[in-house]
Amino acid sequence: MPEILVTENITGDAMDQLHKEMDVSFEPDLWSDPEKLKEAVKGVNALIVRNQTQVTEEIIAAADDLQIIARAGAGLDNIDTKAAEAAGIVVSFTPQANSVSVAELAIGLMISLTRQIPAADWDTRAGGWNRQIFTGGELSGKTLGVVGFGRIGVLTATRAKVFGMTIIGHDDYVDPESPHVKELDAKMLSLDELLAKADFITCHVPLTDGTREMFNAELFGKMKEGAFFINTSRGEVVDENALARALQNDQIGGAALDVRQVEPPDASSPLNGLTNVILTPHIAAFTDEAQSRVVDAVCRDVQAVLKGESATDYFNFAKPRR
Ligand code: MLT
């Protein structure tokens, strides 16, 4: 029977079923011990991970019988996809399963920022009744800049459109004439143009060498005064010290980060002391609905690939050699 190794806390009905049908080792803490992981992947046919397991070239080299690395989620930055492809290992992921949840959190954070919902809540609990302080603004009539106009960016823009926002986008890989751009009546701009125009900037780029710390002091300096910045993609795309300075100097109006440069973040982060910041612990994709779809999808993909069939969404197109 094929051996399946799960190295993070990935559970649900579909996983229970997989346990019944296949030889599944559930090791939810294994991601934190790379040496132990290197040993554990030997002889394993399928590896199921979320975002904490670093599936490096070394791990892939040690995995002598691996057919599929199934990523329960959308980002592939924790997997050396090139090494997997070279080894003939399929890398599947589940971008369709959790995108709506991420887009909904991005909208929630936009409203929370402009209406100061967390601060109003703390103040009221502390006995305040400060209606004149917590005035805020509307999304309606404002411009949303979507950096990264892929699936999640488009879902966020679609929801923002319903609130009466004007959509502008930046994405080097998206044709400005493509139907989803047209349907949203969106304009694709250079990054500098977008930063100069947007009242809200929502970031949906993957983490690559090109996007690492792309939101730095220079980019924050190019944003409109009072702009709100929202990041639900990857923390490493933001230079957090530069963001803290931009917020301290009132260069921008506020920021909401669901993802951090280091997760979990250092308790001494300068962002912790700022009132115009909302911080959440990488929960964008962690709704019940999304997680159930994600687990269904990884289990389905693992079973398919182990039977010699194709995964639904996969990164590498090389015909598996194993
Ligand atoms: C994703 O990439 O799917 C989300 O950020 C959640 C996760 O990393 O598991």
Side-chain angles (χ1 to χ4, degrees):
M1 195 186 287
E3 276 184 45
I4 299 170
L5 177 62
V6 185
T7 59
E8 295 181 53
N9 192 19
I10 301 166
T11 56
D13 292 348
M15 188 58 82
D16 292 345
Q17 194 56 33
L18 200 68
H19 278 271
K20 285 185 194 142
E21 291 170 13
M22 297 203 164
D23 181 2
V24 182
S25 302
F26 179 64
E27 305 256 9
D29 298 322
L30 196 53
W31 63 270
S32 61
D33 189 339
E35 279 309 309
K36 219 169 141 194
L37 175 64
K38 206 163 89 183
E39 279 306 304
V41 290
K42 291 190 177 135
V44 159
N45 307 110
L47 178 64
I48 303 184
V49 303
R50 212 190 274 286
N51 69 324
Q52 287 174 294
T53 313
Q54 297 305 313
V55 190
T56 58
E57 192 174 5
E58 216 181 337
I59 298 291
I60 288 167
D64 48 4
D65 220 359
L66 198 57
Q67 294 178 41
I68 172 169
I69 301 165
R71 163 71 164 98
L76 290 175
D77 43 280
N78 57 318
I79 298 171
D80 189 330
T81 46
K82 282 205 179 88
E85 187 165 30
I89 300 167
V90 174
V91 178
S92 72
F93 61 140
T94 62
Q96 306 189 53
N98 59 15
S99 310
V100 166
S101 293
V102 180
E104 287 188 3
L105 188 78
I107 296 288
L109 291 173
M110 284 161 59
I111 299 175
S112 297
L113 276 173
T114 185
R115 301 303 299 270
Q116 306 175 70
I117 296 173
D121 173 51
W122 304 327
D123 188 74
T124 309
R125 284 167 199 262
W129 194 255
N130 289 303
R131 299 170 72 198
Q132 69 291 352
I133 297 176
F134 299 112
T135 51
E138 294 181 343
L139 296 190
S140 179
K142 303 289 182 348
T143 297
L144 174 63
V146 181
V147 181
F149 219 74
R151 182 189 307 273
I152 298 174
V154 169
L155 287 170
T156 307
T158 307
R159 281 148 183 78
K161 189 86 187 157
V162 177
F163 280 90
M165 300 187 86
T166 299
I167 310 299
I168 54 178
H170 171 75
D171 193 318
D172 289 335
Y173 299 96
V174 169
D175 176 358
E177 300 302 319
S178 62
H180 58 274
V181 175
K182 297 243 167 226
E183 272 161 30
L184 286 162
D185 200 16
K187 279 202 175 54
M188 298 303 285
L189 303 175
S190 71
L191 187 54
D192 282 3
E193 284 170 325
L194 180 147
L195 297 177
K197 286 193 161 105
D199 301 299
F200 291 79
I201 294 147
T202 185
C203 172
H204 301 287
V205 295
L207 176 65
T208 63
D209 289 342
T211 61
R212 193 175 295 279
E213 293 197 4
M214 70 180 274
F215 286 95
N216 55 17
E218 193 189 339
L219 286 206
F220 290 121
K222 289 178 177 170
M223 289 180 188
K224 225 169 143 171
E225 206 186 316
F228 293 108
F229 174 71
I230 298 98
N231 187 16
T232 52
S233 64
R234 282 294 177 266
E236 294 97 320
V237 306
V238 176
D239 174 345
E240 287 188 6
N241 287 325
L243 173 62
R245 283 194 297 275
L247 289 159
Q248 278 153 351
N249 302 337
D250 289 328
Q251 215 170 324
I252 64 171
L257 303 182
D258 182 53
V259 285
R260 304 296 296 276
Q261 259 185 309
V262 176
E263 294 185 5
D266 197 296
S268 65
S269 164
L271 295 169
N272 288 350
L274 301 177
T275 50
N276 49 353
V277 174
I278 298 174
L279 302 170
T280 51
H282 201 149
I283 52 169
F286 271 52
T287 58
D288 294 340
E289 293 89 343
Q291 286 313 302
S292 157
R293 286 192 297 264
V294 161
V295 176
D296 285 357
V298 277
C299 292
R300 193 180 54 234
D301 285 343
V302 163
Q303 283 176 306
V305 170
L306 293 180
K307 276 195 275 179
E309 295 165 7
S310 186
T312 308
D313 285 293
Y314 48 98
F315 166 79
N316 40 4
F317 300 98
K319 190 169 160 35
R321 287 202 292 269
R322 290 177 180 153

